[in-house]
Structure formats: structure tokens, C-alpha cells
Amino acid sequence: SMEIELKSAPYRNATLSIDERVEDLLHRMTLEEKTAQTISYQHLKFEEDGSLAEETHAKLKHGLGSFQKGTGKLPPRESAQFANMLQRFMVEETRLGIPILIHEECLHGHLAVRGTSFPQALALASTWDPDLVEQVFTTVARETRARGAHQALTPNCDIARDPRFGRVEETYGEDACLNARMVAAVVRGFQGRGPGIGSDRIISTLKHFAGYGQGDGGRNFAPSSIPLRVFLDEIIQPFRAGIEAGAMSVMPAHGEIDGIPCHANRWLLTDLLREELRFDGYVVTDYHDIQRLKIIHRIIENLEDGAILALQAGVDMELPAPQGYAHLTDLVRTGRLDEALLDQAVRRILRAKFTLGLFENPYADPEYAEVIVNCQEHKDLALEAAKKAVILLKNDGDTLPFNLKSIRRLA
């Protein structure tokens, strides 16, 4: 009778509003089921025939928030079949049947076997063509969703200010205004123009919030020393544009601002991001960054403390493996963490899953994936984007070298 009741529960009813469905589902969840929504796995054990191993069943019995890059390692048809196998377990074998999110890297195309490769972000910025960029990421979304994935850890909204920064080519250059226009185009490409997310679109994740392109000495994970005015006027501008375009996810930066690591920074992730910038999606960690609060930033003694700091700051989901957030159930049970904080994170994650339509359409079509990935139309668009990204300088009328005798003014 419990099962029959769940099958006809309000959260299953697609005619209700997303908020009503979220609240109904949230109130049915155990602490273990709530915690499961806030975590991700990157490695799971499978049998020879590709089915889930017994130990994996035990790991997933309460559900799961997200799975890392599940569809990139296989050819298109097989990757859709793999995603469907994982999804079928979630939908049919867990008590509440909450589907899983699969997240992927989509920097300049879906990072996957046979995925169409487009020009790198820095090259796309030099097209000065937001409509083209929107078209490119509409195409990337189509290929990614066809294989059964739902979230891109893209775009990189960092502003390139230090050529030593190892990820300059992932950015849209050094100009805040151009960055903002390009980021908005990427978000519209991935998610469409709203309000929902179509069956051929995916969630866009703005990263790395914020100041990641300005690490001291250009080093990864280094602190960012940025004057507040520059931070709010320039560094935040692409994020603001992405949020206004509807981006549903944000990833904090590895580093720290003014001595406070971004993943433990409530001013950054709640006051600024949610209250001032009006972001209403969910925040995912950069990979392993709750653990880095201990091993790099050294502000915590143990991962339990890291989980408390991150959740209080406004981090909703831990990627790609449960390190800190594995402890959330115990932290609530022992009274060290307010369950309302956990509920807030789970609410945001569930809202995304309902918005994607996963409860109605959890599965991908393997035959469609095989046909659409790297099809001729997508290759043609990649070529067009590459042509528009090329910059040639022409020395018209022997302008160079400058004749300083004849030039009075130079703009």
C-alpha cells in the first residue's frame, strides 16, 4: 500500500506546480534520502555484462544527486544505454524513484567519444558573435542530452587577467563586457530561453565564482587579491549576465578571497550570489573542494566541519565524490547541523530535476544519440565557427611601421 501511495503521490503529478511537487517529495524523504541528493559519485562498480554490481546497489539505495561524466567514455549509442541503465535503477529500484543528474564537461563541445569539437572559448570570443555562440552551445546541449546527460560544468566566466593562469584559453578573454555577452549566449544555448528546459537542452553551470582567473602568481588554487570595486564592477559582471540569462547552477572557485575560501564563504555564496544577484538555482562544489578546506586552506580539522561550513555558506551539492557531505545525516542526527539547511539544499536540487522534466522523461534514445552526435550539420557549424574565429591582420597602405614624422595623432 505504501508503494501504491507513492505511485500516486502529488510529486508524481505533472499538472501541479514544481514548487508543490518539490514540497510534497521533500516531506516524504528520510535523512538518508535527503543526504543522497546532495552527493555525487564518479566511480561505481559494474559487473562484466555492464549491470550494476551488488555493492553499487547498496551505495545507491537511497538515491543519488549526480553522477560524474557517465556518458563521455563510450560511443554515443552505448553512452545513452549506460545512462538509461543508471536511471532505470534510480527510477525503479529506489523507494522514491528520484532520477539522477549526470554532469559533463562541455567547454567547447561535449567532452566525449565522437562529440563535435568546436573552437575553444577564447577563439569563440574573438568572433564577437553572440548569436553564433548561442547556436554552438545549442548544438552542444543537443549532443549531450541525447546521450543521457543533463548538466554542463560550463561556461567558464573567469576573466583572463594573468597570462600565467593555466586556463586562459577556457575564458572569453580579458574584457568584462565581452565576457558577459558571451556567457549569456552560452547559457541561452545550453538551456534555451526558458522558462523550462526543453528535452534537447541541459543545465548550464557558471564557474568559478569568483576571481579564479586572478590567483596570485597565476597559480591554481592560489588566493585572489582583488580590490572590492574591481571584484564587483568587473569580475562579477559575466556571472551577473549568466544569472540574468537564467543559469541554473553555479560552481565556486578553488581559491580564497580576502582570506576566506570560496567554498566556505557565506558573503560570497549567499549575500552576494543569492540576495544581490538573485540567483535561484543550486551551487555545486568544484571537484574535491570540501576536502581542500582541510588539505590546502587548512581552516578545518576534519571533513565534518568542512561539510558544516560549506552547507552554511550556501553549497548545495558536493562533486564528484562524497567526502564532506557523506556526513550530513550524522551531523543532523547529532544536532550539529540544522535540518532546515539540508532541506534548503535538497529543495534546490529537486527543483532542477523537476525543471528538466526527468520525472516524466528520465531516459535517452540511444538510436537518436547515434544519429545526432557529430552529424554533418554539427560539423558544418564547427567549421563556420572556426572560420569566424580566425583573425588576420592586414598592413593596409603600408601603415606599419608607423612614420612618426607624418602621424600627428593615433587612436
Side-chain angles (χ1 to χ4, degrees):
S1 68
M2 265 306 282
E3 279 193 20
I4 293 167
E5 190 207 332
L6 282 175
K7 289 255 186 299
S8 59
Y11 76 87
R12 299 257 178 219
N13 182 350
T15 65
L16 295 178
S17 74
I18 286 177
D19 285 342
E20 288 173 295
R21 298 176 76 183
V22 167
E23 291 311 311
D24 177 71
L25 179 49
L26 187 66
H27 290 311
R28 295 171 188 276
M29 294 171 80
T30 64
L31 267 178
E32 287 80 2
E33 287 165 336
K34 289 176 182 178
T35 295
Q37 289 303 309
T38 69
I39 62 173
S40 168
Y41 280 113
Q42 81 189 121
H43 303 299
L44 292 170
K45 286 247 163 48
F46 299 95
E47 301 292 1
E48 287 292 308
D49 64 358
S51 63
L52 293 173
E54 272 307 308
E55 66 180 88
T56 304
H57 283 229
K59 264 185 168 177
L60 300 179
K61 70 169 187 276
H62 297 299
L64 188 66
S66 192
F67 185 70
Q68 182 241 4
K69 301 191 187 84
T71 68
K73 301 175 182 85
L74 301 162
R77 181 189 285 111
E78 289 77 359
S79 57
Q81 288 166 340
F82 173 81
N84 288 347
M85 183 262 303
L86 260 187
Q87 204 65 281
R88 192 164 285 112
F89 180 86
M90 294 299 157
V91 170
E92 295 178 6
E93 305 294 330
T94 66
R95 185 178 78 92
L96 296 168
I98 303 171
I100 191 178
L101 289 170
I102 293 175
H103 65 270
E104 300 282 334
E105 298 288 351
C106 298
L107 176 61
H108 58 105
H110 180 198
L111 177 62
V113 175
R114 298 215 327 245
T116 305
S117 187
F118 291 90
Q120 182 53 285
L122 197 59
L124 289 175
S126 66
T127 64
W128 293 75
D129 188 344
D131 292 339
L132 174 71
V133 170
E134 181 175 346
Q135 217 183 330
V136 164
F137 286 96
T138 299
T139 305
V140 179
R142 188 183 300 140
E143 290 197 0
T144 310
R145 187 73 184 262
R147 296 168 92 131
H150 320 97
Q151 179 174 5
L153 304 184
T154 315
N156 190 327
C157 308
D158 303 320
I159 295 178
R161 291 284 164 87
D162 186 335
R164 297 170 298 184
F165 176 50
R167 299 174 73 166
V168 165
E169 86 282 359
E170 292 185 31
T171 75
Y172 289 88
E174 71 274 19
D175 182 80
C177 179
L178 178 62
N179 256 284
R181 294 292 295 276
M182 290 296 171
V183 162
V186 175
V187 172
R188 287 195 301 267
F190 277 133
Q191 295 189 178
R193 290 177 177 249
I197 292 193
S199 59
D200 58 349
R201 306 279 184 156
I202 59 177
I203 287 171
S204 179
T205 310
L206 309 177
K207 68 186 191 188
H208 305 86
F209 194 70
Y212 183 49
Q214 283 78 9
D216 289 351
R219 293 187 307 263
N220 205 17
F221 308 127
S224 296
S225 310
I226 307 170
L228 189 60
R229 183 188 297 264
V230 173
F231 187 79
L232 295 175
D233 277 358
E234 299 174 32
I235 305 309
I236 296 303
Q237 204 168 314
F239 291 95
R240 188 189 297 273
I243 290 164
E244 285 169 0
M248 283 181 58
S249 191
V250 164
M251 175 184 283
H254 287 304
E256 58 187 57
I257 293 163
D258 211 7
I260 303 177
C262 294
H263 284 76
N265 192 332
R266 187 172 168 85
W267 168 78
L268 183 73
L269 301 182
T270 297
D271 300 358
L272 180 62
L273 180 62
R274 293 199 178 272
E275 281 156 32
E276 189 174 329
L277 299 180
R278 318 296 312 152
F279 174 67
D280 65 356
Y282 62 108
V283 172
V284 298
T285 67
D286 206 338
Y287 278 19
H288 307 294
D289 269 2
I290 293 179
Q291 185 178 321
R292 286 202 182 92
L293 295 176
K294 179 171 190 259
I295 61 178
I296 287 186
H297 300 294
R298 300 177 182 231
I299 64 166
I300 54 167
E301 301 274 315
N302 54 56
L303 289 170
E304 286 89 339
D305 289 349
I308 293 171
L309 278 181
L311 199 71
Q312 286 175 342
V315 173
D316 302 306
M317 181 187 277
E318 182 176 20
L319 307 185
Q323 291 164 337
Y325 280 15
H327 302 290
L328 290 180
T329 296
D330 292 340
L331 289 169
V332 172
R333 285 235 161 90
T334 55
R336 293 189 60 201
L337 191 66
D338 183 355
E339 189 172 355
L341 265 184
L342 175 58
D343 287 352
Q344 171 180 272
V346 174
R347 211 176 255 120
R348 291 164 180 165
I349 294 160
L350 293 177
R351 190 179 298 137
K353 294 184 175 189
F354 282 114
T355 303
L356 280 161
L358 290 186
F359 285 81
E360 289 69 56
N361 300 301
Y363 303 117
D365 177 350
E367 298 317 308
Y368 177 67
E370 192 65 25
V371 173
I372 202 71
V373 170
N374 204 224
C375 63
Q376 194 57 48
E377 184 196 339
H378 294 183
K379 290 181 198 173
D380 292 345
L381 181 63
L383 180 60
E384 183 197 343
K387 287 175 177 172
K388 286 188 172 168
V390 170
I391 298 169
L392 294 175
L393 298 179
K394 189 176 177 187
N395 193 13
D396 251 349
D398 293 326
T399 306
L400 297 176
F402 290 133
N403 179 346
L404 296 182
K405 291 191 174 68
S406 63
I407 288 180
R408 311 306 297 211
R409 295 173 145 181
L410 186 61

